[in-house]
Amino acid sequence: MIKKVLIANRGEIAARIIRTCKQMNITTVAVYSEADQKADFTKMADECYLIGPPRVNESYLNAEKIISIAKQAKVDAIHPGYGFLSESDQFAGKCEEAGITFIGPKASVMKQMGSKVLARQLMEKAGVPTIPGTKEALATAEEALNAAQDIGYPIMLKASAGGGGIGMQVVENDEELVRAFESNAKRAKTFFGNGDMFLEKKLKNARHIEVQILADHNGNVIHLFERDCSIQRRNQKVVEEAPSTFISEETRRRMTEAAINAAKALEYTNAGTIEFLVDNKENFYFLEMNTRVQVEHPVSEEITGIDIVEKQIKIAAGESLDISQKDIYTNGHAIEVRIYAEDPVTFMPSPGHVSQITFPNEDYARNEPAITGPSDITHFYDPMIAKLIIHGTDRQDAIAKLTKALQTYRVVGIKTNLPMLQYISEDEIFRKGNVTTAYVQEHYIPNINAK
């Protein structure tokens, strides 16, 4: 039985986890940096502890300090949210050593999936299609150049560890590869403590579609259908929706079956996501596995009625899934947009003071904010300040409601990407569902710059 949970995170996801814990009558403990001492999530938690200075390596990435506070607060479990320590097998292992339940998969499984190179190898063994690319991690630009000759340009250079688009870049030739390798390896080393890189063939006109899975400790694995996350900037998602209107029922069946088989092959437990790239002929290829709750999980919750965070906690407590696949069906269509403190044209972060924020209050609009009133947005963390999730009877209804909701959304004092989201919601290409991972680069940026 889990009665007290420490949330090893901040902002929107910390607030999200606290809400579900309260519904489950679970006591919550928040940790916060000096920059977050007045943050909304600290006011929502039952207990709060200062963890350190603003910089992440001194606060939200300080595993030893977090576990020390967890022991002091006598918690039963730690929920890592997403980002920070959420995919650190070392942190999960430290929790296990301390006798604290880690709300996520086992450290050994996280270690396998934490290396994208190893994950590719394991997926191939499990019979899941993978994108042509390097089989082993690359330590030098020279190794990358040799591998690129076999793969052929364009190529996607990626960090073996981490996510969020960090350490990732499309390269078109040898010269670009040499320049990109060193800078991205250095960035990956800084963010993830691992500078290993690998290469994948760049798929043109691809869609980013992922399958949400839940797995308990008794071998039961289910999926909550798929999400289309193709609209991205800097290789980071901006708009997500569920279900995908691009794939056929047969592709959906094969893709969800592949995701479940992969989870079973790994003996995976808790919530996870198998991400795929899908070409214009609906061929799908394994991209990566996220061993945590994802930013876009609400769209899956909206179409299935299942609280993913609640299931995470119950699975971590040793409970079996109380639903089977036949109990799960889709209801309507959901779209999530991420509101970032950033310039809507250059995508550069826009820290500063928010003097006012106004949310749409329609019953079809689910607001998941990190801030609810006047607040300072610092440069220390990811610039996402809120998420807006819309549920409609079908995709067109959801888009119409999204457009209306965005018209009433206000953030005063800093630049945000709200103009970008409004543009997308009204764009015919988006409305027709003809979006790929190249949408922002090929359609949004040229049209905005032309105005």
PDB file of all heavy atoms in Angstrom, residues 12 63 73 81 95 111 121 150 160 180 204 214 221 226 229 237 254 256 266 283 288 303 326 343 399 414 431 443 449:
ATOM      1  N   GLU A  12       4.337  21.701 -14.163  1.00  0.00           N
ATOM      2  CA  GLU A  12       3.058  21.113 -14.574  1.00  0.00           C
ATOM      3  C   GLU A  12       2.906  19.664 -14.161  1.00  0.00           C
ATOM      4  O   GLU A  12       1.859  19.250 -13.653  1.00  0.00           O
ATOM      5  CB  GLU A  12       2.915  21.276 -16.091  1.00  0.00           C
ATOM      6  CG  GLU A  12       1.750  20.555 -16.713  1.00  0.00           C
ATOM      7  CD  GLU A  12       2.057  19.116 -17.094  1.00  0.00           C
ATOM      8  OE1 GLU A  12       3.183  18.833 -17.512  1.00  0.00           O
ATOM      9  OE2 GLU A  12       1.141  18.281 -16.949  1.00  0.00           O
ATOM     10  N   ALA A  63      20.226  13.206  -7.064  1.00  0.00           N
ATOM     11  CA  ALA A  63      19.568  11.970  -6.619  1.00  0.00           C
ATOM     12  C   ALA A  63      19.783  11.703  -5.134  1.00  0.00           C
ATOM     13  O   ALA A  63      18.846  11.309  -4.420  1.00  0.00           O
ATOM     14  CB  ALA A  63      20.073  10.794  -7.446  1.00  0.00           C
ATOM     15  N   ALA A  73      11.256  12.315   5.084  1.00  0.00           N
ATOM     16  CA  ALA A  73       9.799  12.485   5.043  1.00  0.00           C
ATOM     17  C   ALA A  73       9.051  11.167   5.226  1.00  0.00           C
ATOM     18  O   ALA A  73       7.827  11.154   5.306  1.00  0.00           O
ATOM     19  CB  ALA A  73       9.392  13.126   3.722  1.00  0.00           C
ATOM     20  N   GLY A  81       7.917  11.662 -12.496  1.00  0.00           N
ATOM     21  CA  GLY A  81       7.361  12.477 -13.570  1.00  0.00           C
ATOM     22  C   GLY A  81       8.038  12.189 -14.892  1.00  0.00           C
ATOM     23  O   GLY A  81       8.294  11.039 -15.226  1.00  0.00           O
ATOM     24  N   CYS A  95      16.724   4.121  -5.374  1.00  0.00           N
ATOM     25  CA  CYS A  95      15.435   4.029  -4.675  1.00  0.00           C
ATOM     26  C   CYS A  95      15.224   2.600  -4.152  1.00  0.00           C
ATOM     27  O   CYS A  95      14.820   2.400  -3.000  1.00  0.00           O
ATOM     28  CB  CYS A  95      14.284   4.411  -5.606  1.00  0.00           C
ATOM     29  SG  CYS A  95      14.226   6.158  -6.040  1.00  0.00           S
ATOM     30  N   LYS A 111      17.735   0.591 -17.748  1.00  0.00           N
ATOM     31  CA  LYS A 111      19.099   0.644 -18.267  1.00  0.00           C
ATOM     32  C   LYS A 111      19.145   0.162 -19.709  1.00  0.00           C
ATOM     33  O   LYS A 111      19.828   0.741 -20.556  1.00  0.00           O
ATOM     34  CB  LYS A 111      20.022  -0.208 -17.397  1.00  0.00           C
ATOM     35  CG  LYS A 111      21.495  -0.096 -17.782  1.00  0.00           C
ATOM     36  CD  LYS A 111      22.389  -0.823 -16.793  1.00  0.00           C
ATOM     37  CE  LYS A 111      23.861  -0.614 -17.150  1.00  0.00           C
ATOM     38  NZ  LYS A 111      24.759  -1.264 -16.163  1.00  0.00           N
ATOM     39  N   GLN A 121      18.709  -2.830 -30.585  1.00  0.00           N
ATOM     40  CA  GLN A 121      19.119  -4.228 -30.676  1.00  0.00           C
ATOM     41  C   GLN A 121      18.058  -5.149 -30.069  1.00  0.00           C
ATOM     42  O   GLN A 121      17.715  -6.197 -30.649  1.00  0.00           O
ATOM     43  CB  GLN A 121      20.460  -4.415 -29.956  1.00  0.00           C
ATOM     44  CG  GLN A 121      21.627  -3.682 -30.611  1.00  0.00           C
ATOM     45  CD  GLN A 121      22.875  -3.686 -29.746  1.00  0.00           C
ATOM     46  OE1 GLN A 121      22.861  -4.190 -28.615  1.00  0.00           O
ATOM     47  NE2 GLN A 121      23.964  -3.115 -30.255  1.00  0.00           N
ATOM     48  N   ASP A 150      27.668   3.755 -45.441  1.00  0.00           N
ATOM     49  CA  ASP A 150      26.790   2.594 -45.633  1.00  0.00           C
ATOM     50  C   ASP A 150      25.314   2.974 -45.567  1.00  0.00           C
ATOM     51  O   ASP A 150      24.488   2.402 -46.284  1.00  0.00           O
ATOM     52  CB  ASP A 150      27.088   1.541 -44.562  1.00  0.00           C
ATOM     53  CG  ASP A 150      28.487   0.960 -44.698  1.00  0.00           C
ATOM     54  OD1 ASP A 150      28.973   0.866 -45.838  1.00  0.00           O
ATOM     55  OD2 ASP A 150      29.088   0.607 -43.661  1.00  0.00           O
ATOM     56  N   SER A 160      22.721   8.607 -27.767  1.00  0.00           N
ATOM     57  CA  SER A 160      22.269   7.286 -27.333  1.00  0.00           C
ATOM     58  C   SER A 160      21.454   7.368 -26.059  1.00  0.00           C
ATOM     59  O   SER A 160      20.546   6.565 -25.832  1.00  0.00           O
ATOM     60  CB  SER A 160      23.473   6.353 -27.112  1.00  0.00           C
ATOM     61  OG  SER A 160      23.045   5.071 -26.697  1.00  0.00           O
ATOM     62  N   ALA A 180      28.453  18.559 -36.571  1.00  0.00           N
ATOM     63  CA  ALA A 180      27.338  18.242 -35.672  1.00  0.00           C
ATOM     64  C   ALA A 180      27.725  17.210 -34.620  1.00  0.00           C
ATOM     65  O   ALA A 180      27.225  17.247 -33.495  1.00  0.00           O
ATOM     66  CB  ALA A 180      26.148  17.735 -36.480  1.00  0.00           C
ATOM     67  N   LYS A 204      11.940  10.432 -44.890  1.00  0.00           N
ATOM     68  CA  LYS A 204      11.260  11.626 -45.399  1.00  0.00           C
ATOM     69  C   LYS A 204       9.747  11.455 -45.294  1.00  0.00           C
ATOM     70  O   LYS A 204       9.221  10.370 -45.446  1.00  0.00           O
ATOM     71  CB  LYS A 204      11.674  11.883 -46.850  1.00  0.00           C
ATOM     72  CG  LYS A 204      13.156  12.241 -47.007  1.00  0.00           C
ATOM     73  CD  LYS A 204      13.502  12.557 -48.451  1.00  0.00           C
ATOM     74  CE  LYS A 204      14.962  12.953 -48.588  1.00  0.00           C
ATOM     75  NZ  LYS A 204      15.335  13.257 -49.983  1.00  0.00           N
ATOM     76  N   LEU A 214       0.471  -0.102 -20.643  1.00  0.00           N
ATOM     77  CA  LEU A 214       0.478  -0.294 -19.195  1.00  0.00           C
ATOM     78  C   LEU A 214       0.756  -1.767 -18.945  1.00  0.00           C
ATOM     79  O   LEU A 214       0.163  -2.629 -19.600  1.00  0.00           O
ATOM     80  CB  LEU A 214      -0.862   0.100 -18.566  1.00  0.00           C
ATOM     81  CG  LEU A 214      -1.247   1.577 -18.573  1.00  0.00           C
ATOM     82  CD1 LEU A 214      -2.704   1.740 -18.129  1.00  0.00           C
ATOM     83  CD2 LEU A 214      -0.333   2.396 -17.655  1.00  0.00           C
ATOM     84  N   VAL A 221      -0.301  -7.007 -19.983  1.00  0.00           N
ATOM     85  CA  VAL A 221       0.087  -5.815 -20.735  1.00  0.00           C
ATOM     86  C   VAL A 221      -1.078  -5.385 -21.615  1.00  0.00           C
ATOM     87  O   VAL A 221      -1.659  -6.210 -22.332  1.00  0.00           O
ATOM     88  CB  VAL A 221       1.324  -6.075 -21.628  1.00  0.00           C
ATOM     89  CG1 VAL A 221       1.763  -4.776 -22.304  1.00  0.00           C
ATOM     90  CG2 VAL A 221       2.466  -6.672 -20.822  1.00  0.00           C
ATOM     91  N   GLU A 226      -3.026   4.781 -29.726  1.00  0.00           N
ATOM     92  CA  GLU A 226      -1.842   5.511 -30.173  1.00  0.00           C
ATOM     93  C   GLU A 226      -2.070   7.018 -30.144  1.00  0.00           C
ATOM     94  O   GLU A 226      -3.200   7.493 -30.056  1.00  0.00           O
ATOM     95  CB  GLU A 226      -1.459   5.062 -31.597  1.00  0.00           C
ATOM     96  CG  GLU A 226      -2.291   5.654 -32.719  1.00  0.00           C
ATOM     97  CD  GLU A 226      -3.704   5.102 -32.816  1.00  0.00           C
ATOM     98  OE1 GLU A 226      -3.984   4.027 -32.244  1.00  0.00           O
ATOM     99  OE2 GLU A 226      -4.541   5.740 -33.483  1.00  0.00           O
ATOM    100  N   CYS A 229       2.176  12.446 -32.844  1.00  0.00           N
ATOM    101  CA  CYS A 229       2.964  13.559 -32.295  1.00  0.00           C
ATOM    102  C   CYS A 229       3.867  14.160 -33.363  1.00  0.00           C
ATOM    103  O   CYS A 229       5.025  14.503 -33.103  1.00  0.00           O
ATOM    104  CB  CYS A 229       3.801  13.073 -31.111  1.00  0.00           C
ATOM    105  SG  CYS A 229       2.879  12.165 -29.850  1.00  0.00           S
ATOM    106  N   LYS A 237       8.121  17.749 -29.388  1.00  0.00           N
ATOM    107  CA  LYS A 237       6.709  17.801 -29.738  1.00  0.00           C
ATOM    108  C   LYS A 237       6.038  19.105 -29.277  1.00  0.00           C
ATOM    109  O   LYS A 237       6.374  19.645 -28.230  1.00  0.00           O
ATOM    110  CB  LYS A 237       5.990  16.605 -29.112  1.00  0.00           C
ATOM    111  CG  LYS A 237       6.568  15.260 -29.544  1.00  0.00           C
ATOM    112  CD  LYS A 237       6.201  14.153 -28.580  1.00  0.00           C
ATOM    113  CE  LYS A 237       6.964  12.889 -28.886  1.00  0.00           C
ATOM    114  NZ  LYS A 237       6.790  11.857 -27.859  1.00  0.00           N
ATOM    115  N   ARG A 254      -1.442  -3.981 -35.976  1.00  0.00           N
ATOM    116  CA  ARG A 254      -0.061  -4.470 -36.021  1.00  0.00           C
ATOM    117  C   ARG A 254       0.864  -3.639 -35.132  1.00  0.00           C
ATOM    118  O   ARG A 254       1.760  -4.170 -34.467  1.00  0.00           O
ATOM    119  CB  ARG A 254       0.452  -4.472 -37.466  1.00  0.00           C
ATOM    120  CG  ARG A 254      -0.234  -5.514 -38.358  1.00  0.00           C
ATOM    121  CD  ARG A 254       0.447  -5.650 -39.707  1.00  0.00           C
ATOM    122  NE  ARG A 254       0.415  -4.440 -40.506  1.00  0.00           N
ATOM    123  CZ  ARG A 254       1.460  -3.694 -40.784  1.00  0.00           C
ATOM    124  NH1 ARG A 254       2.665  -4.030 -40.322  1.00  0.00           N
ATOM    125  NH2 ARG A 254       1.344  -2.611 -41.525  1.00  0.00           N
ATOM    126  N   THR A 256       0.048  -1.758 -32.375  1.00  0.00           N
ATOM    127  CA  THR A 256      -0.216  -1.987 -30.948  1.00  0.00           C
ATOM    128  C   THR A 256       0.231  -3.378 -30.529  1.00  0.00           C
ATOM    129  O   THR A 256       0.712  -3.571 -29.412  1.00  0.00           O
ATOM    130  CB  THR A 256      -1.704  -1.773 -30.624  1.00  0.00           C
ATOM    131  OG1 THR A 256      -2.512  -2.585 -31.502  1.00  0.00           O
ATOM    132  CG2 THR A 256      -2.109  -0.314 -30.801  1.00  0.00           C
ATOM    133  N   LEU A 266      10.548  -7.549 -22.836  1.00  0.00           N
ATOM    134  CA  LEU A 266      11.393  -6.868 -21.863  1.00  0.00           C
ATOM    135  C   LEU A 266      10.993  -7.172 -20.425  1.00  0.00           C
ATOM    136  O   LEU A 266      11.685  -6.765 -19.494  1.00  0.00           O
ATOM    137  CB  LEU A 266      11.309  -5.347 -22.065  1.00  0.00           C
ATOM    138  CG  LEU A 266      11.887  -4.781 -23.364  1.00  0.00           C
ATOM    139  CD1 LEU A 266      11.436  -3.338 -23.553  1.00  0.00           C
ATOM    140  CD2 LEU A 266      13.402  -4.856 -23.329  1.00  0.00           C
ATOM    141  N   ASN A 283       4.292   1.906 -43.346  1.00  0.00           N
ATOM    142  CA  ASN A 283       5.320   1.052 -42.761  1.00  0.00           C
ATOM    143  C   ASN A 283       5.803   1.740 -41.489  1.00  0.00           C
ATOM    144  O   ASN A 283       6.084   2.937 -41.510  1.00  0.00           O
ATOM    145  CB  ASN A 283       6.497   0.878 -43.723  1.00  0.00           C
ATOM    146  CG  ASN A 283       6.088   0.196 -45.009  1.00  0.00           C
ATOM    147  OD1 ASN A 283       5.504  -0.883 -44.989  1.00  0.00           O
ATOM    148  ND2 ASN A 283       6.376   0.831 -46.137  1.00  0.00           N
ATOM    149  N   GLU A 288      12.041   4.723 -30.329  1.00  0.00           N
ATOM    150  CA  GLU A 288      12.589   4.607 -28.980  1.00  0.00           C
ATOM    151  C   GLU A 288      11.480   4.195 -28.031  1.00  0.00           C
ATOM    152  O   GLU A 288      10.299   4.218 -28.382  1.00  0.00           O
ATOM    153  CB  GLU A 288      13.209   5.925 -28.511  1.00  0.00           C
ATOM    154  CG  GLU A 288      12.217   7.078 -28.377  1.00  0.00           C
ATOM    155  CD  GLU A 288      12.892   8.365 -27.929  1.00  0.00           C
ATOM    156  OE1 GLU A 288      14.123   8.374 -27.772  1.00  0.00           O
ATOM    157  OE2 GLU A 288      12.170   9.356 -27.734  1.00  0.00           O
ATOM    158  N   ILE A 303      -9.373  10.038 -24.357  1.00  0.00           N
ATOM    159  CA  ILE A 303     -10.143   9.169 -25.259  1.00  0.00           C
ATOM    160  C   ILE A 303     -10.474   7.808 -24.639  1.00  0.00           C
ATOM    161  O   ILE A 303     -11.331   7.091 -25.143  1.00  0.00           O
ATOM    162  CB  ILE A 303      -9.422   8.964 -26.613  1.00  0.00           C
ATOM    163  CG1 ILE A 303      -8.102   8.212 -26.437  1.00  0.00           C
ATOM    164  CG2 ILE A 303      -9.256  10.287 -27.343  1.00  0.00           C
ATOM    165  CD1 ILE A 303      -7.524   7.676 -27.724  1.00  0.00           C
ATOM    166  N   LYS A 326     -10.054  -5.809 -23.808  1.00  0.00           N
ATOM    167  CA  LYS A 326     -11.427  -5.745 -24.345  1.00  0.00           C
ATOM    168  C   LYS A 326     -12.275  -4.661 -23.662  1.00  0.00           C
ATOM    169  O   LYS A 326     -13.326  -4.271 -24.178  1.00  0.00           O
ATOM    170  CB  LYS A 326     -12.124  -7.103 -24.203  1.00  0.00           C
ATOM    171  CG  LYS A 326     -12.310  -7.588 -22.791  1.00  0.00           C
ATOM    172  CD  LYS A 326     -13.003  -8.939 -22.755  1.00  0.00           C
ATOM    173  CE  LYS A 326     -13.126  -9.493 -21.349  1.00  0.00           C
ATOM    174  NZ  LYS A 326     -13.831  -8.621 -20.412  1.00  0.00           N
ATOM    175  N   ASP A 343       9.798  32.602 -28.186  1.00  0.00           N
ATOM    176  CA  ASP A 343       9.447  33.373 -29.375  1.00  0.00           C
ATOM    177  C   ASP A 343       8.769  32.442 -30.375  1.00  0.00           C
ATOM    178  O   ASP A 343       9.308  31.368 -30.679  1.00  0.00           O
ATOM    179  CB  ASP A 343      10.718  33.971 -29.985  1.00  0.00           C
ATOM    180  CG  ASP A 343      10.418  34.919 -31.138  1.00  0.00           C
ATOM    181  OD1 ASP A 343       9.996  34.411 -32.211  1.00  0.00           O
ATOM    182  OD2 ASP A 343      10.611  36.122 -30.988  1.00  0.00           O
ATOM    183  N   ILE A 399     -10.759  20.165 -33.293  1.00  0.00           N
ATOM    184  CA  ILE A 399     -10.025  21.290 -33.866  1.00  0.00           C
ATOM    185  C   ILE A 399     -10.823  22.584 -33.715  1.00  0.00           C
ATOM    186  O   ILE A 399     -10.268  23.635 -33.368  1.00  0.00           O
ATOM    187  CB  ILE A 399      -9.688  21.033 -35.344  1.00  0.00           C
ATOM    188  CG1 ILE A 399      -8.648  19.917 -35.461  1.00  0.00           C
ATOM    189  CG2 ILE A 399      -9.163  22.307 -36.018  1.00  0.00           C
ATOM    190  CD1 ILE A 399      -8.371  19.470 -36.882  1.00  0.00           C
ATOM    191  N   ILE A 414       5.335  38.074 -21.299  1.00  0.00           N
ATOM    192  CA  ILE A 414       6.424  37.406 -22.017  1.00  0.00           C
ATOM    193  C   ILE A 414       5.915  36.946 -23.376  1.00  0.00           C
ATOM    194  O   ILE A 414       4.710  36.875 -23.618  1.00  0.00           O
ATOM    195  CB  ILE A 414       6.967  36.186 -21.240  1.00  0.00           C
ATOM    196  CG1 ILE A 414       5.849  35.142 -21.045  1.00  0.00           C
ATOM    197  CG2 ILE A 414       7.593  36.597 -19.917  1.00  0.00           C
ATOM    198  CD1 ILE A 414       6.322  33.817 -20.484  1.00  0.00           C
ATOM    199  N   ARG A 431      -5.687  20.840 -40.588  1.00  0.00           N
ATOM    200  CA  ARG A 431      -7.100  20.442 -40.493  1.00  0.00           C
ATOM    201  C   ARG A 431      -7.406  19.209 -41.342  1.00  0.00           C
ATOM    202  O   ARG A 431      -8.261  18.399 -40.996  1.00  0.00           O
ATOM    203  CB  ARG A 431      -8.008  21.614 -40.897  1.00  0.00           C
ATOM    204  CG  ARG A 431      -7.934  22.758 -39.897  1.00  0.00           C
ATOM    205  CD  ARG A 431      -9.009  23.793 -40.077  1.00  0.00           C
ATOM    206  NE  ARG A 431      -9.045  24.672 -38.907  1.00  0.00           N
ATOM    207  CZ  ARG A 431     -10.126  25.332 -38.518  1.00  0.00           C
ATOM    208  NH1 ARG A 431     -11.265  25.200 -39.177  1.00  0.00           N
ATOM    209  NH2 ARG A 431     -10.078  26.103 -37.458  1.00  0.00           N
ATOM    210  N   HIS A 443       6.225  24.186 -43.633  1.00  0.00           N
ATOM    211  CA  HIS A 443       4.986  24.957 -43.816  1.00  0.00           C
ATOM    212  C   HIS A 443       4.875  26.156 -42.877  1.00  0.00           C
ATOM    213  O   HIS A 443       4.663  27.275 -43.332  1.00  0.00           O
ATOM    214  CB  HIS A 443       3.773  24.040 -43.640  1.00  0.00           C
ATOM    215  CG  HIS A 443       3.704  22.936 -44.637  1.00  0.00           C
ATOM    216  ND1 HIS A 443       3.346  23.151 -45.945  1.00  0.00           N
ATOM    217  CD2 HIS A 443       3.982  21.621 -44.529  1.00  0.00           C
ATOM    218  CE1 HIS A 443       3.393  22.002 -46.609  1.00  0.00           C
ATOM    219  NE2 HIS A 443       3.774  21.059 -45.772  1.00  0.00           N
ATOM    220  N   ASN A 449       7.476  33.608 -41.940  1.00  0.00           N
ATOM    221  CA  ASN A 449       8.518  34.535 -42.400  1.00  0.00           C
ATOM    222  C   ASN A 449       8.069  35.347 -43.599  1.00  0.00           C
ATOM    223  O   ASN A 449       8.587  36.445 -43.867  1.00  0.00           O
ATOM    224  CB  ASN A 449       9.795  33.763 -42.741  1.00  0.00           C
ATOM    225  CG  ASN A 449      10.498  33.245 -41.498  1.00  0.00           C
ATOM    226  OD1 ASN A 449      10.352  33.804 -40.422  1.00  0.00           O
ATOM    227  ND2 ASN A 449      11.260  32.179 -41.650  1.00  0.00           N
TER     228      ASN A 449
END
